[in-house]
Amino acid sequence: MRKESLIRQKIERNGLILIALAMVLIYWILDSLVSNQVTTRVLIVAFVLIYGIFTQTLINSRKTALEEKERAQKQLIEAEKLAALGIVAAGIAHEVKNPLAIIIQGVEYLKSSMESDALLLDVTERIKKSALRADNIIRGLLSFTRQTPIQANDVDIIPVIEETLSFVDYQIKARRIKIVRQYATGLPEARIDDNQIKQVFVNLLLNSLEAMKNGGTITISAEGLREEGDRRSLQVVIADTGCGIPESVLEKVFDPFYTTKDTPGNAGLGLSVTKGIIDKHRGKIRIESEVDKGTRVIIGLPAVSPQQNGSPAVTGGRNE
Amino acid sequence: MNEAIQSEKTKILLIDDEDDFCFFVKLNLEKSGTFDVRTATSGPEGILLASKERPDLILLDIIMPELSGDQVAEQLMENPETRDIPLLFITAIASRQGVESQEGIIGGRQFIAKPVTPEELIAKINTVLESRK
């Protein structure tokens, strides 16, 4: 796709040079054929300019049509991929959830039988957490392939973020990560499926943690934004000081199965699932990143407008 | 398998083709001190045991060889001896999130999704039993 885009850029550039040359040539021919009258010269220049604009418009419309076709083809390929993946995922989910259920029941029995041994209790707790994490991955896969419909409620976003942070508390401490909170005061409520949005935040936080193997800072900010008219949105930004993402990788990070991580069990679905969930909410997600400096993920979520709940205007604020 | 279930405890029959799952669920439920658990690793074995032991509740897996959970449920409903025993489907084919979002009831049936902790299972069993009182 990138190669095609480069070829198209080259064609467009060459096309523009040809148009410019053609315009000069037309001007020269016409100029040499007619008299020296000023009005005639002005008419010729106008004609040449109109010709140039017309040609450029044709090129632009052709380019738009081509891009539209490419986008449609890409969507079709992704839909086919999803359909195939859905069938595989349902089978995998059943086969993996059964052993997970056995592990969790077994671990719980061990835990209840060794109440006095702190170390063994810790060991069993870690096994249980890993089993539940595997279950989360399966759930993500199912959610992604089944396109689970959202069940949106009006929700205060801060407890959702805080609960998500508690899910990854162990990894935050283990990697000596500092968490900075920047929540605006008077935030509007978000109209979201909080369970699915928690999954989004967990995916993003795990990516940030993965990018900061030697410690760093994750800054989470939330603020209300005014959209067209009285419509509101809620912007949540998760920024890290990790290794960053190269530009060549950035354009592929939302593709299913695309991964740069070499950790076992990483299916490359985290950001695809994340984008799928945000799209279902009619929200927005974009990623800005600089290698060796860090990554910012900016998420826009629908918020409850003042007419819907009479919430106060959003004001700035800061707390860490 | 053939020992009589003590009457003062809640009698549970678990029908699931995963032998290890049956083993651990039995251990965990019985450890709580309030349940007596019998297990069957196939549909036909479970139907026989249900008729013989008359448990207070049957935990039933859905995807099983020979007879599926649905077919087992149908046969239990057809038998006057077992038709009134409440069923709680325990399954790996639904996600926890999906089951929770529908408060554990799908198509009028009680469900709980694997993986499940003993506490969650006990809470769900008690809910189903209380709803039948």
Side-chain angles (χ1 to χ4, degrees):
Chain A
M1 201 63 89
R2 193 168 166 75
K3 196 178 169 189
E4 282 172 20
S5 161
L6 284 172
I7 292 169
R8 198 181 315 123
Q9 276 174 18
K10 206 171 170 184
I11 291 169
E12 280 165 14
R13 198 173 53 240
N14 292 343
L16 283 174
I17 294 167
L18 282 174
I19 289 167
L21 285 174
M23 284 163 72
V24 170
L25 192 65
I26 291 167
Y27 178 80
W28 180 77
I29 293 167
L30 291 174
D31 192 45
S32 62
L33 290 175
V34 297
S35 67
N36 289 336
Q37 283 177 3
V38 177
T39 45
T40 315
R41 279 179 173 257
V42 169
L43 278 174
I44 291 167
V45 170
F47 169 75
V48 171
L49 282 175
I50 289 166
Y51 170 77
I53 291 166
F54 177 71
T55 315
Q56 185 56 42
T57 311
L58 273 180
I59 289 173
N60 283 347
S61 62
R62 175 85 184 124
K63 186 181 151 195
T64 311
L66 209 64
E67 280 171 354
E68 199 59 48
K69 191 181 163 194
E70 268 175 15
R71 200 163 36 240
Q73 273 175 342
K74 201 176 167 189
Q75 276 173 353
L76 186 68
I77 291 166
E78 277 182 14
E80 283 171 355
K81 244 193 237 179
L82 272 182
L85 180 62
I87 296 163
V88 177
I92 291 173
H94 182 256
E95 293 310 311
V96 175
K97 274 171 176 282
N98 269 318
L100 286 179
I102 293 164
I103 292 169
I104 286 172
Q105 288 287 330
V107 163
E108 287 287 338
Y109 183 74
L110 288 175
K111 268 177 77 181
S112 64
S113 310
M114 54 174 70
E115 278 160 14
S116 56
D117 194 321
L119 179 63
L120 286 179
L121 276 174
D122 185 36
V123 169
T124 51
E125 188 55 34
R126 283 166 195 252
I127 296 172
K128 183 183 162 188
K129 268 188 184 169
S130 297
L132 289 174
R133 206 176 85 205
D135 182 47
N136 269 336
I137 294 169
I138 293 293
R139 197 195 303 175
L141 185 67
L142 285 175
S143 157
F144 178 61
T145 54
R146 278 183 193 159
Q147 299 292 305
T148 317
I150 57 164
Q151 292 177 346
N153 292 304
D154 297 345
V155 177
D156 183 358
I157 197 75
I158 296 175
V160 176
I161 298 172
E162 290 300 320
E163 197 183 333
T164 312
L165 280 168
S166 72
F167 294 160
V168 290
D169 188 49
Y170 172 75
Q171 289 96 321
I172 288 170
K173 284 178 183 154
R175 296 205 172 183
R176 303 182 312 281
I177 305 294
K178 187 185 170 196
I179 301 292
V180 177
R181 297 167 172 85
Q182 295 178 347
Y183 303 145
T185 53
L187 283 172
E189 286 186 318
R191 185 151 286 176
I192 54 169
D193 183 327
D194 54 339
N195 280 325
Q196 295 200 29
I197 293 298
K198 276 178 208 164
Q199 194 185 345
V200 165
F201 292 156
V202 166
N203 287 343
L204 297 177
L205 286 168
L206 289 176
N207 281 347
S208 288
L209 290 164
E210 184 73 22
M212 293 190 293
K213 291 191 171 146
N214 301 312
T217 303
I218 294 178
T219 305
I220 305 175
S221 60
E223 64 174 324
L225 295 179
R226 199 180 292 276
E227 305 261 313
E228 305 147 20
D230 273 340
R231 217 157 58 82
R232 290 279 179 83
S233 71
L234 193 69
Q235 182 172 280
V236 178
V237 179
I238 298 177
D240 66 56
T241 56
C243 58
I245 307 166
E247 209 182 323
S248 58
V249 172
L250 205 54
E251 62 187 31
K252 296 177 198 157
V253 290
F254 289 121
D255 291 353
F257 301 114
Y258 182 78
T259 182
T260 56
K261 299 174 195 166
D262 50 9
T263 43
N266 176 49
L269 281 167
L271 281 174
S272 318
V273 170
T274 296
K275 188 166 186 316
I277 293 172
I278 297 294
D279 286 348
K280 277 186 286 178
H281 282 81
R282 297 186 178 179
K284 291 170 189 165
I285 182 166
R286 69 172 204 278
I287 300 180
E288 295 169 356
S289 190
E290 257 188 273
V291 173
D292 295 334
K293 287 194 173 167
T295 301
R296 272 165 54 85
V297 183
I298 301 118
I299 300 161
L301 294 168
V304 181
S305 66
Q307 296 96 321
Q308 287 166 309
N309 75 344
S311 60
V314 177
T315 54
R318 194 181 170 89
N319 58 319
E320 292 191 4
Chain B
M1 195 76 77
N2 291 326
E3 7 167 336
I5 294 177
Q6 291 166 24
S7 57
E8 67 270 19
K9 293 185 177 177
T10 305
K11 304 166 193 174
I12 303 287
L13 170 62
L14 169 59
I15 308 173
D16 193 312
D17 62 320
E18 291 279 350
D19 188 36
D20 292 334
F21 184 70
C22 291
F23 174 75
F24 283 124
V25 169
K26 181 176 164 65
L27 280 180
N28 282 317
L29 292 186
E30 289 188 343
K31 190 157 192 176
S32 73
T34 51
F35 298 100
D36 270 313
V37 182
R38 292 291 175 269
T39 60
T41 51
S42 73
E45 187 192 350
I47 291 166
L48 279 177
L49 213 54
S51 186
K52 184 182 164 198
E53 300 280 3
R54 310 272 188 92
D56 296 306
L57 181 139
I58 296 174
L59 285 170
L60 185 53
D61 186 24
I62 295 181
I63 306 283
M64 290 188 289
E66 285 186 82
L67 284 180
S68 72
D70 267 345
Q71 290 168 318
V72 172
E74 256 174 47
Q75 293 197 20
L76 290 171
M77 295 293 277
E78 282 166 8
N79 183 349
E81 289 180 335
T82 54
R83 71 158 60 118
D84 293 325
I85 302 171
L87 297 177
L88 172 55
F89 287 91
I90 182 162
T91 177
I93 57 171
S95 74
R96 287 160 67 89
Q97 197 182 4
V99 170
E100 279 159 18
S101 67
Q102 300 186 65
E103 293 174 340
I105 301 168
I106 302 171
R109 289 172 163 180
Q110 296 280 353
F111 275 85
I112 193 160
K114 289 179 184 175
V116 59
T117 64
E119 291 79 27
E120 288 167 338
L121 185 56
I122 290 170
K124 185 68 184 174
I125 288 171
N126 288 334
T127 307
V128 174
L129 290 173
E130 272 164 31
S131 70
R132 294 294 287 248
K133 279 180 185 169

